[in-house]
């Protein structure tokens, strides 16, 4: 299967503004790209790439005052399979966890393990360890939070999402991450493209999505508390502790996002 992915973001800037953008497909999928998904800008400005501490590809630039458009586009070769599951995956005891996973047991900017630890153990402390426990967390978060773009708030934390019971996909991810970490299960935040391929219409307007990866049975597994069902064409952009580590864009000055478009669709025939 071939999937066209890309985005177009237009900002209005009142002054010269340094920016960082994390919009490229993750290096784990680079071999699947039919062409590089270079970040282009209008007007054209120099763009410098680098890898952050989590291995994500980032772009830095200095935008002039006025309008600035960021754009990426490529076609990704994909298996066309639904997300996989492994109900037999076991929880790894802390003393046996690989050292590189331990960071994802800790609290972070949006994941207050100290505030939600008692809640997590009360809700899930008697559920079976491993995959079943993580799925119970995702089921709970999926039912507990009401989705709506009108509920979006960049500063909402996992504890606030638990109390307010509303939010967008990042809030689902943050709450599920926090519960997992409270229960000694390493979990990390993911952002990227999720398609509606294989789902019945009508389809909602495309957007970037957030989900989680959880370390069970010696490897990382994908869970999606927002949708809570398998998808075709889940294409990773970046991973981190939470959304603070992987913002789509970070502007070092006042900015207004005036247009935002995301494309995730199957390509048929030889069309690009």
């Amino acid at each position: 299967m071939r999937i066209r992915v890309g985005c177009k973001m237009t900002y209005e800037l009142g002054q010269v503004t340094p920016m960082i953008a994390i919009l490229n497909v993750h290096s784990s999928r680079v071999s699947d790209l039919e062409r590089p998904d270079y970040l282009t800008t209008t007007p054209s400005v120099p763009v410098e790439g680098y890898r952050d501490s989590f291995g994500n590809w980032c772009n830095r630039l200095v935008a002039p005052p006025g309008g600035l458009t960021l754009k990426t586009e490529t076609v990704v070769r994909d298996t066309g399979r639904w997300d996989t599951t492994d109900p037999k995956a076991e929880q790894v005891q802390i003393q046996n966890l690989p050292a590189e996973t331990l960071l994802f047991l800790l609290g972070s900017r949006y994941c207050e393990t100290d505030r939600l630890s008692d809640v997590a153990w009360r809700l899930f402390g008697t559920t079976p360890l491993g995959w079943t426990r993580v799925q119970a967390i995702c089921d709970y978060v999926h039912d507990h939070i009401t989705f709506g773009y009108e509920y979006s708030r960049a500063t909402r934390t996992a504890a606030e999402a638990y109390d307010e019971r509303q939010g967008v996909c990042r809030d689902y991810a943050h709450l599920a991450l926090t519960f997992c970490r409270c229960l000694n299960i390493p979990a990390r935040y993911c952002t990227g493209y999720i398609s509606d391929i294989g789902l019945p219409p009508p389809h909602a307007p495309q957007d970037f999505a957030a989900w989680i990866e959880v370390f069970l049975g010696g490897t990382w597994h994908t869970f999606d508390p927002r949708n809570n069902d398998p998808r075709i064409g889940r294409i990773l952009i970046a991973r981190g502790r939470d959304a603070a580590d992987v913002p789509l864009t970070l502007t070092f000055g006042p900015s207004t996002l005036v247009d935002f478009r995301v494309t995730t669709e199957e390509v048929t025939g030889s069309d690009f």
Side-chain angles (χ1 to χ4, degrees), residues 205-224:
Q206 293 293 331
D207 195 358
F208 286 113
W211 62 90
I212 68 174
E213 290 178 344
V214 177
F215 193 80
L216 296 171
T219 192
W220 292 97
H221 297 271
T222 296
F223 288 84
D224 186 348

Side-chain angles (χ1 to χ4, degrees), residues 176-233:
L177 286 175
T178 306
F179 283 150
C180 286
R181 294 175 187 173
C182 288
L183 299 168
N184 303 323
I185 306 169
R188 60 193 185 188
Y189 182 94
C190 299
T191 183
Y193 298 96
I194 295 181
S195 80
D196 292 318
I197 297 169
L199 300 179
H203 299 149
Q206 293 293 331
D207 195 358
F208 286 113
W211 62 90
I212 68 174
E213 290 178 344
V214 177
F215 193 80
L216 296 171
T219 192
W220 292 97
H221 297 271
T222 296
F223 288 84
D224 186 348
R226 157 67 179 100
N227 296 297
N228 208 30
D229 57 15
R231 292 297 181 99
I232 295 172

